[in-house]
Every structure is written in C-alpha cells, then in structure tokens.
C-alpha cells in the first residue's frame, strides 16, 4: 500500500512562549499558495527558491503582523516538499493566530515530528538520521551533541550498510548455489566456507554492542544512585558534588524521603545523580515508600555511590546493603573522615571524603572518570550506537546469526542457515528503516549479473 502524504502541514516550529521571533513552518504542495492567501507583499509563487521576502500577514482586512517569509521550493528542502517559513514577532498570541490562519486556509496541523517523518518518508534522510535530529535536540553535553551530529551525518547508517553488505554477500552466494548448482563463477560455498564468514560478522556485531554501552553513557549520562543507611551523609555528598545545597541535610535519621536529583558534567560525560532515602527497617509509611524507591534506584543505576560512616563500625545494615549492590558498578564512599576513624575498611574502589568539608570530592570525580572514561571512550571514533532501539535490533541480529551458526555446526542443510541469515538482514534493515521484502532480492541480484 502506498501512503499518500501530499497534504500540507503547518506548525509553530519555535519554542512555545515569548521570544524575539517565532516561526510558523508549512510543508506540502500548497504551502506557497496557502501562505499567499494571508500574505501581502510580493507574490510568493514567483519569488526565487531559498529567498526571504518581506511583507505582512492579514486576516481579511486586519493586519496581524509584519513578517519575513522564507520560501524553499522542492526538492532541495528539509522534507523534499515545498516549505515555507513565516518569521513573525515572537508573541504567543501572534504565532498562534498565524498558525490558525494557515489552518483555515487549507493546511492541516502537523503532528509532533511530522516534518522529520516526511523527510524520512520522502527519502531525504534514513531512520537513524531522523532519530539523530531528536538526539541533537535532547543533547546534554558537547560529547553527546557531537555523537548526535555523527548520526545525522549518516555514520550509523554507513556502519549498518557495511554490515548488511557483508551479510548480503554470504546470502547471495548461498542463493546462487541453491538455485544454480551448475553455476561455477561463484565460489562454491559449503558450510565450512560460510562458517568463518558468519563468525566474523558475529565478532563485528559483538564489538559494536560492547561499544554501545559507552554510546549510551555519552548520550544519556551515567545514572548514579547515592545509597546507604540513614545519616551517613548521602544528601551532604549530593550537595558537595552539585556545589549547591539542593537536598536537605539534618542530623535526623530519615531526613530524605523522596529522591532528589541533579546532574554534573564530568569531562564531557553527564553524571545523573540521585540522592535516595537511607535504607533501614522503618514503620513510617512515607519513609517506607522512600526506601522502596531507593531499592528501585539501585536496580536502574549504572553506578552506585555507596556511603558509609568513617566514625562508626560497619553495621549489619551496611553489610546487607553491600551484599545487595555487590554485582553493580560501585564506589564505596567513606564519609566523615574529619571525625575519628572507627570503621575498618578495605573495599574495592573506596574513596575517603568529608562531604561536610568538601574534601576528597575531586578524588571521587577522578575515580568515576577513570572507571567510565579511561581509554574506553575514544572521542574521535564516535560511531557508537547509542539509541536503545538500534541496540535492541543489533541484539536480534546477533541472535539470528548465532542460530545460523548453530545450524552450520549441526551440519543442517544450508538453506536452514540461510533463513536465519535473512532474518539477521531484516533486523539490520529495521535500524535504518529499510524493511521491504523486495529490496533484499533487488540488492542481491544486482550484485550478480547472472544473465539468466
Ligand atoms: N562531621 C561530618 N558530618 C557530616 C559529614 N557529612 C554529613 N555530615 C552530617 O551528618 C548528618 C546527616 O547528613 P545527611 O547528608 O543528611 O545524611 P543522609 O545520609 O542524607 O541521611 P538520610 O537522608 O536521613 O538518610 C548531618 O548532620 C550532616 O551535617 C561529614 O563529612 N563530616
Ligand atoms: Mg538524606
């Protein structure tokens, strides 16, 4: 089924609120004609493409605003359709009024992301580039911005295309052998010959998935939960790291009940910090809810900052919590080192601090950088797959490849392995938005000039 998307859409493209200017954007066959109906100035259908025209927007006889109108004629536009952008004064009322006029005159209100969707459907960008546009908008640090820009430049697309190319070569060779057993130009592929090729591909994809952990960290930051018993100084540590008094600190046990969040930029990587309620047996309903939230936070965290008190011996509660977080990325923070030492400590990854005096905080930051950045994130190589959807499809690809390897190892007929290789090919296709059944055949046969 072919989806017709030739109606003209319109939306306010700038942030909602007061600003110097607002932009109303239209895309579609009637974008210029619709704008002409509201616009007094030059006839926009006769102006050159990619130019700006001065004039006024009118609602019947009433002048609404003085505007600059940019006209972009297809196909060299963001959506590959005619695009008009009306730059008006940045008031909420004015922008809404102009939007309303475009709708009255034949445009349809665009859905969220519909301009980008059209750019994708009209073949201007692939799916990974469309997603990168969202990533650019959401970027939280320089590193995540440059990663998103790499995506927009099509680096992820190229990465996937290359993997598909490898896969296609194997599939095409198998196909040729099945369909044309007498065809001898093509390397005869037995299980023994395709096996190393499949293994090679598995290897490549495993490496990409492994690297994707860093991609996720660059993009979303390190989700860090500050965990510990009541009163050990978790909120004080949050405040010291944030360099502001965000969380309430008192000497009353159970001060923090709801999670308090904040983030800091650590050498380009964002640390998403979460201060949690001290975990202990409690009968207080509100505190209990807070403690459950703390346990949830442990599950979701990429990193646990586990706080203990230097001035007290390790308690049973501490030990229980240590056991609970044992298999997580964890740094043990020995806090209150300004007080007498009563704690016998010899933890893996321990850092001594005084959250009160703000000492040891830099050591902690360096430790985190070392754990997450050291040698692992190469700022120049940014083909990190960071999008959760892409990672999920790569996992699908990998499991299909493993199944095909299994079929080969079990010496099944080669078409059994081929079925799995094809589903791996489709999973990769889903990443870039190419899922049509015909494209596999087209691409395969374009590679082999069989002449039959
Ligand atoms: N001497 C000293 N006192 C500290 C230090 N860090 C925190 N405190 C004190 O310890 C008490 C508890 O600190 P909080 O930061 O509220 O502790 P918490 O772990 O968030 O406590 P809950 O929210 O109740 O779980 C306060 O009186 C702080 O001033 C430190 O490094 N040295
Ligand atoms: Mg607290």
């Amino acid at each position: 089924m072919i989806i017709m998307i030739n109606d003209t859409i319109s939306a306010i493209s700038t942030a909602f609120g007061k600003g110097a200017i607002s932009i109303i954007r239209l895309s579609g066959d009637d974008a210029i004609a619709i704008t002409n109906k509201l616009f007094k100035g030059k006839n926009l259908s006769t102006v050159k493409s990619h130019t700006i025209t001065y004039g006024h927007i009118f609602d019947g006889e009433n002048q609404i605003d003085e505007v600059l109108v940019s006209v972009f004629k297809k196909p060299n536009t963001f959506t590959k359709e005619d695009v008009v952008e009306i730059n008006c004064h940045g008031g909420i009322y004015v922008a809404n009024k102009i939007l309303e006029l475009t709708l009255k005159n034949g445009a349809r209100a665009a859905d969220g992301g519909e301009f980008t969707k059209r750019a994708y459907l009209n073949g201007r960008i692939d799916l990974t580039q469309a997603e990168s546009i969202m990533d650019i908008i959401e970027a939280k640090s320089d590193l995540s911005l440059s990663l998103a820009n790499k995506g927009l430049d099509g680096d992820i697309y190229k990465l996937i295309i290359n993997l598909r190319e490898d896969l296609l070569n194997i599939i095409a060779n198998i196909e040729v052998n099945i369909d044309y057993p007498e065809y001898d130009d093509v390397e005869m592929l037995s299980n023994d010959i395709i096996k190393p090729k499949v293994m090679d591909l598995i290897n490549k994809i495993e490496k990409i998935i492994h690297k994707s952990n860093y991609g996720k960290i660059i993009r979303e930051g390190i989700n860090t939960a500050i965990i510990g018993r009541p009163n050990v100084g978790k909120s004080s540590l949050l405040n010291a790291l944030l360099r502001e008094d965000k969380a309430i600190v008192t000497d009353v046990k159970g001060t923090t009940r709801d999670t308090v969040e904040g983030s800091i930029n650590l050498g380009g990587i964002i640390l998403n910090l979460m201060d949690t309620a001290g975990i202990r047996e409690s009968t207080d309903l509100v505190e209990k809810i807070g403690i459950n939230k703390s346990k949830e936070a442990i599950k979701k965290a990429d990193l646990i900052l586990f706080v203990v008190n230097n001035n007290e011996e390790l308690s049973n509660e501490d030990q229980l919590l240590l056991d609970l977080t044992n298999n997580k990325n964890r740094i043990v923070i020995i806090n209150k080192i300004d007080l007498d030492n009563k704690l016998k400590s010899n933890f893996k990854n321990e850092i001594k601090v005084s959250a009160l005096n703000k000492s040891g905080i830099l050591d902690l930051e360096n430790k985190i950088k070392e754990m997450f950045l050291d040698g692992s994130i190469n700022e120049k190589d940014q083909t990190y797959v960071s999008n959760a959807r892409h990672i999920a499809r790569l996992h699908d690809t990998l499991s299909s490849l493993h199944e095909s390897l299994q079929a080969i190892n079990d010496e099944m007929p080669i078409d059994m392995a081929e079925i799995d290789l094809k589903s791996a090919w489709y999973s990769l296709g889903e990443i870039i938005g190419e899922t049509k059944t015909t494209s596999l055949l087209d691409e395969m046969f374009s590679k082999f000039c069989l002449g039959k």
Side-chain angles (χ1 to χ4, degrees):
M1 189 185 71
I2 297 168
I3 307 163
M4 298 300 287
I5 51 160
N6 56 6
D7 60 345
T8 296
I9 51 173
S10 176
I12 300 173
S13 291
T14 36
F16 192 71
K18 268 197 215 169
I21 55 165
S22 287
I23 299 175
I24 294 91
R25 188 197 250 173
L26 295 93
S27 176
D29 286 347
D30 298 329
I32 297 171
I34 291 170
T35 314
N36 254 339
K37 289 189 208 165
L38 340 166
F39 183 72
K40 287 202 177 142
K42 271 190 212 157
N43 178 355
L44 297 172
S45 45
T46 60
V47 303
K48 268 202 200 156
S49 182
H50 295 72
T51 57
I52 297 173
T53 306
Y54 170 82
H56 293 88
I57 295 290
F58 274 78
D59 178 9
E61 292 304 304
N62 297 331
Q63 181 172 317
I64 303 297
D65 198 8
E66 179 190 36
V67 294
L68 289 171
V69 177
S70 312
V71 172
F72 306 96
K73 292 184 184 163
K74 67 183 175 186
N76 291 329
T77 70
F78 177 56
T79 54
K80 280 198 157 183
E81 303 172 338
D82 284 344
V83 171
V84 173
E85 290 183 358
I86 305 170
N87 291 248
C88 64
H89 288 108
I92 298 169
Y93 179 76
V94 176
N96 269 329
K97 182 76 193 172
I98 297 175
L99 173 66
E100 210 181 287
L101 287 171
T102 64
L103 301 182
K104 252 198 221 159
N105 283 282
R108 171 173 66 76
D111 297 331
E114 201 173 358
F115 289 90
T116 312
K117 185 172 160 196
R118 286 189 173 197
Y120 162 64
L121 289 175
N122 292 330
R124 209 190 64 77
I125 53 174
D126 79 291
L127 209 53
T128 62
Q129 288 171 309
E131 286 164 321
S132 299
I133 292 172
M134 203 58 216
D135 290 345
I136 287 175
I137 297 170
E138 301 270 320
K140 295 183 188 79
S141 67
D142 287 352
L143 221 52
S144 60
L145 179 61
S146 82
L147 186 64
N149 267 304
K150 286 268 177 191
L152 186 61
D153 289 346
D155 284 25
I156 300 296
Y157 181 74
K158 282 178 218 138
L159 188 77
I160 301 300
I161 286 291
N162 286 336
L163 293 174
R164 279 188 120 199
E165 184 80 19
D166 291 349
L167 200 47
L168 199 64
N169 274 321
I170 308 174
I171 298 173
N173 278 278
I174 296 174
E175 275 292 308
V176 167
N177 271 354
I178 292 171
D179 292 349
Y180 306 91
E182 79 288 4
Y183 197 78
D184 49 15
D185 276 358
V186 183
E187 190 185 356
M188 290 292 286
L189 285 178
S190 70
N191 277 4
D192 284 347
I193 298 171
I194 57 168
K195 187 174 165 180
K197 297 193 181 195
V198 173
M199 282 169 61
D200 187 46
L201 206 55
I202 287 180
N203 203 347
K204 276 189 191 166
I205 295 178
E206 275 176 348
K207 278 197 184 127
I208 294 170
I209 291 178
H210 178 73
K211 274 206 319 187
S212 71
N213 294 332
Y214 299 113
K216 182 176 169 281
I217 283 170
I218 294 176
R219 179 189 150 102
E220 292 166 12
I222 304 168
N223 290 328
T224 308
I226 306 178
I227 300 289
R229 270 190 301 125
N231 246 3
V232 288
K234 298 177 298 299
S235 300
S236 306
L237 181 70
L238 175 85
N239 292 345
L241 282 164
L242 293 179
R243 276 105 181 145
E244 75 171 275
D245 287 336
K246 186 153 188 179
I248 300 169
V249 169
T250 72
D251 56 6
V252 177
K253 287 185 184 176
T255 299
T256 306
R257 292 173 165 223
D258 213 347
T259 42
V260 183
E261 297 177 15
S263 57
I264 54 171
N265 187 330
L266 218 62
I269 302 274
I270 300 297
L271 207 62
N272 300 314
L273 290 159
M274 224 192 310
D275 174 27
T276 63
I279 302 178
R280 62 166 171 180
E281 285 298 323
S282 170
T283 47
D284 181 296
L285 180 66
V286 181
E287 197 183 351
K288 259 188 174 166
I289 295 171
I291 292 170
N292 283 335
K293 281 193 176 180
S294 309
K295 290 181 177 164
E296 278 303 306
I298 294 176
K299 282 192 203 142
K300 286 191 208 137
D302 303 311
L303 171 67
I304 306 277
L305 299 183
F306 190 94
V307 187
V308 288
N309 184 349
N310 173 61
N311 190 232
E312 287 169 5
E313 286 179 24
L314 204 67
S315 71
N316 287 342
E317 278 167 325
D318 286 322
Q319 194 53 56
L320 271 172
L321 289 176
L322 278 166
D323 293 344
L324 197 66
T325 53
N326 217 2
N327 54 2
K328 304 283 289 189
N329 257 328
R330 182 179 71 193
I331 299 177
V332 178
I333 315 284
I334 303 185
N335 187 33
K336 309 197 187 184
I337 50 159
D338 52 295
L339 302 178
D340 289 345
N341 171 257
K342 290 185 187 157
L343 180 83
K344 285 192 211 66
S345 77
N346 184 20
F347 300 103
K348 187 180 155 216
N349 292 332
E350 68 173 37
I351 295 283
K352 295 190 161 78
V353 307
S354 165
L356 185 71
N357 301 338
K358 320 244 179 312
S359 65
I361 299 300
L362 282 180
D363 293 343
L364 172 60
E365 291 182 351
N366 288 333
K367 181 79 195 168
I368 297 171
K369 279 192 214 161
E370 186 188 299
M371 274 172 83
F372 284 86
L373 293 174
D374 202 38
S376 316
I377 294 183
N378 174 352
E379 293 185 25
K380 293 212 176 69
D381 165 20
Q382 288 188 2
T383 48
Y384 296 112
V385 177
S386 60
N387 181 296
R389 192 184 68 80
H390 301 172
I391 296 170
R393 292 295 84 77
L394 281 173
H395 278 288
D396 293 347
T397 310
L398 197 61
S399 65
S400 298
L401 288 176
H402 276 298
E403 273 164 33
S404 112
L405 190 64
Q406 190 62 47
I408 294 168
N409 284 337
D410 294 348
E411 299 188 355
M412 307 278 270
I414 194 70
D415 22 350
M416 297 304 283
E418 195 197 356
I419 294 172
D420 295 319
L421 292 175
K422 279 185 177 166
S423 51
W425 197 83
Y426 289 122
S427 299
L428 285 176
E430 282 181 53
I431 297 179
I432 52 178
E434 271 177 30
T435 48
K436 285 176 275 186
T437 335
T438 47
S439 61
L440 174 85
L441 297 174
D442 292 349
E443 278 193 47
M444 207 158 62
F445 289 107
S446 69
K447 294 177 89 55
F448 288 85
C449 225
L450 292 172
K452 292 196 181 188

